[in-house]
Amino acid sequence: MSSWNHLRPRIPYVGYLRLYCSLGRNERRLSVITNPASTAIVEPLCHPLPPPNRNGEHRRAGPAEPPTIGPVLAQDDDDDDTPALCCPALPSARPPAIMAAMLEFRTQGYNPYAVKYSPYYDSRIAVATSANFGIVGNGRVFALGLTAQGVQVEKTFDTNDALYDLAWSEINENQLIVACGDGSLKLFDLAVNDFPVMNFHEHKRETFSVCWSPITKDSFLSSSWDGTVKIWSPTRTQSLRTLPIGNCTYSASFCPSNPALISAVSSDSHLRIFDLRTPSSAKYHLVSTIPVHAAGSSGPQPGVGLPGPPPAAAAAASPPSEVLTHDWNKYNSTVVATGGVDRIIRTFDIRSPAAGPLAVMQGHDYAVRRLAWSPHASDVLISASYDMTVRLWNDAGASAAAAAAPQQQRPPQGPSSAIPGAAGTRAGHQMGIMNRHTEFVTGVDWCLFGVGGWVASVGWDERVLLWDANMLMGHR
């Protein structure tokens, strides 16, 4: 086992046995189905069909179909007007809906780690990839265009080390920044061949995440396994500011509505909030530290005299483990979702660090590697996991807000009416699964444009899948 330790710095919590099974191309993939009842929803899916034409006929999409294919439908033999979902029928309650992939692109020889839609075009995405699963070797960033002929390569750039994340520039539609395994960040321009236009290198270990400020647009940040978050300007090679975390920092992000707020999650099981408006002498701008795996001081205590299954708060409290990803709610600037090694997705209100999670969502079989809130709905988020699935969730935020609305006219009844989350942790529910990946799913992102619902996902199976989640949202 000691000979495997060199893999640990490059792969966050994959499980050594699982990793070695996946590295062997001729080895049989280790199954992730641990519940026999789950086999009913992982059968091969039917081919996706576009919406019916005026005559009610479904015409199968050929290679020249445009990327605006409609929801996933299957042949429906009954006489009603309701389209059938692409999932097997079960005799009992309806299972979570399953989506089939619409468009596919292969990153031959490179294993993707992140995917991002362009903030300027709905027909352009970028993918950060690494050779040899990011353990050793170079990296490649793909700029892909969605055309009537399918997914086409617009540009590729090679790097000397693996790539783990990327972000599009908010000030130049042709530029993107990538996070490299050698601790550097490289700014590429699609109008310039081969080489980056800027190189930033201060991190001492792997740079694992990067995020461009969506408000000021003149800065970006990076987090690294060296335990720091750095803020940069695209016009200078030296960082503007360094925020110490002290532990391996997997993910950092700007608040989407307040450029002064920065969040980070790390291996010590904490979500940290920084406010750049505070003096740096005050804990380096640190204003809040939220223990992700704590139950909360005001929430219900799990398992105390309660018959039957424990409430959602029981899942809120668990032994500390690494937090691998997080994201800000696009409609509520005080809500952040986290996911990690313990397979549970939690949402928090940053105004009440000790109140515990607002909501808990369970269902993944392995670690949650990436999650993203929907830009089109306040209570919908999507997650990618090492269990080779992408899952769509509803955090029950809308129903909780509706239930609380009649009480807003009442006078405060005590601490629980003033502290978010104090009334207890609600249980979110899974809206559906996309299970067409055959390896770890490492990246997922929403398209900002259109009717809402288009999603891009990537995994170690060297595949980029683009699909429409609107059918899953129809089950809310």
Side-chain angles (χ1 to χ4, degrees):
M1 186 70 178
S2 59
S3 62
W4 297 359
N5 290 337
H6 69 285
L7 300 181
R8 180 63 181 85
R10 285 299 175 111
I11 315 291
Y13 187 76
V14 297
Y16 295 113
L17 177 61
R18 177 68 180 88
L19 173 63
Y20 269 72
C21 286
S22 62
L23 287 179
R25 289 293 185 176
N26 297 322
E27 297 281 341
R28 182 179 178 83
R29 296 296 194 265
L30 182 64
S31 174
V32 301
I33 302 301
T34 58
N35 181 4
S38 300
T39 57
I41 61 171
V42 293
E43 296 298 324
L45 307 180
C46 63
H47 293 287
L49 296 174
N53 57 24
R54 294 181 178 179
N55 298 324
E57 300 173 345
H58 292 280
R59 181 175 54 86
R60 291 193 177 272
E65 283 290 323
T68 55
I69 304 175
V72 180
L73 303 176
Q75 293 288 0
D76 193 1
D77 296 329
D78 52 21
D79 297 329
D80 59 12
D81 296 328
T82 305
L85 287 174
C86 291
C87 61
L90 294 181
S92 57
R94 171 185 288 177
I98 302 180
M99 297 297 295
M102 293 290 184
L103 297 175
E104 178 177 346
F105 177 82
R106 300 300 294 262
T107 58
Q108 194 69 34
Y110 290 85
N111 308 105
Y113 265 84
V115 60
K116 292 292 174 62
Y117 269 98
S118 168
Y120 299 94
Y121 306 105
D122 61 353
S123 60
R124 176 179 286 177
I125 63 173
V127 183
T129 68
S130 303
N132 304 309
F133 304 92
I135 300 173
V136 64
N138 61 327
R140 176 173 294 178
V141 56
F142 292 81
L144 306 176
L146 312 182
T147 70
Q149 288 72 40
V151 184
Q152 305 290 328
V153 177
E154 293 186 357
K155 202 84 167 182
T156 62
F157 298 98
D158 290 339
T159 59
N160 292 330
D161 211 317
L163 299 181
Y164 297 125
D165 200 13
L166 82 163
W168 285 96
S169 168
E170 295 284 349
I171 56 177
N172 189 321
E173 63 188 27
N174 291 319
Q175 292 185 349
L176 52 86
I177 189 83
V178 296
C180 301
D182 60 3
S184 68
L185 298 112
K186 302 183 187 301
L187 182 66
F188 289 101
D189 193 312
L190 300 186
V192 179
N193 292 327
D194 300 330
F195 301 106
V197 295
M198 290 286 286
N199 189 68
F200 313 88
H201 199 168
E202 288 185 8
H203 286 298
K204 302 299 188 294
R205 292 193 62 185
E206 290 86 350
T207 307
F208 220 66
S209 76
V210 62
C211 176
W212 207 290
S213 173
I215 304 299
T216 63
K217 303 182 185 297
D218 60 355
S219 61
F220 61 92
L221 61 78
S222 61
S223 71
S224 169
W225 285 35
D226 64 7
T228 64
V229 172
K230 292 181 180 288
I231 304 174
W232 309 82
S233 167
T235 60
R236 53 181 292 182
T237 57
Q238 294 80 27
S239 63
L240 303 176
R241 200 167 305 185
T242 299
L243 307 176
I245 305 296
N247 296 276
C248 175
T249 309
Y250 290 106
S251 174
S253 178
F254 282 103
C255 174
S257 60
N258 189 338
L261 295 181
I262 292 174
S263 58
V265 293
S266 56
S267 59
D268 67 348
S269 180
H270 283 80
L271 164 67
R272 289 174 172 84
I273 307 296
F274 298 87
D275 191 337
L276 302 183
R277 297 168 296 187
T278 61
S280 60
S281 58
K283 298 183 179 179
Y284 294 95
H285 309 289
L286 180 66
V287 294
S288 180
T289 302
I290 301 175
V292 171
H293 296 87
S297 59
S298 304
Q301 298 301 314
V304 180
L306 297 178
S318 62
S321 58
E322 295 184 323
V323 185
L324 304 180
T325 180
H326 77 297
D327 193 34
W328 292 79
N329 190 301
K330 306 303 186 293
Y331 292 86
N332 189 338
S333 60
T334 65
V335 175
V336 177
T338 66
V341 168
D342 68 349
R343 305 165 295 175
I344 300 174
I345 299 172
R346 299 172 175 85
T347 64
F348 296 90
D349 191 310
I350 64 173
R351 297 170 297 179
S352 303
L358 295 176
V360 170
M361 286 152 279
Q362 302 181 78
H364 279 297
D365 296 319
Y366 285 133
V368 179
R369 180 62 182 85
R370 189 89 61 169
L371 58 81
W373 284 97
S374 169
H376 307 284
S378 62
D379 57 349
V380 174
L381 67 159
I382 201 164
S383 60
S385 169
Y386 288 148
D387 65 7
M388 301 187 284
T389 68
V390 178
R391 304 187 185 224
L392 192 69
W393 306 88
N394 185 304
D395 77 332
S399 58
Q407 302 179 3
Q408 293 180 355
Q409 304 299 327
R410 303 177 184 176
Q413 300 295 322
S416 64
S417 61
I419 302 176
T425 301
R426 62 179 181 263
H429 66 272
Q430 180 176 290
M431 301 165 63
I433 305 174
M434 198 288 289
N435 59 1
R436 294 294 291 271
H437 284 285
T438 58
E439 264 294 352
F440 298 154
V441 187
T442 53
V444 67
D445 194 33
W446 295 87
C447 180
L448 298 176
F449 307 99
V451 295
W454 278 95
V455 171
S457 60
V458 296
W460 275 8
D461 52 6
E462 302 181 359
R463 299 164 73 199
V464 182
L465 302 181
L466 298 103
W467 44 283
D468 188 356
N470 277 315
M471 285 295 290
L472 302 186
M473 295 183 190
H475 292 274
R476 284 199 292 172

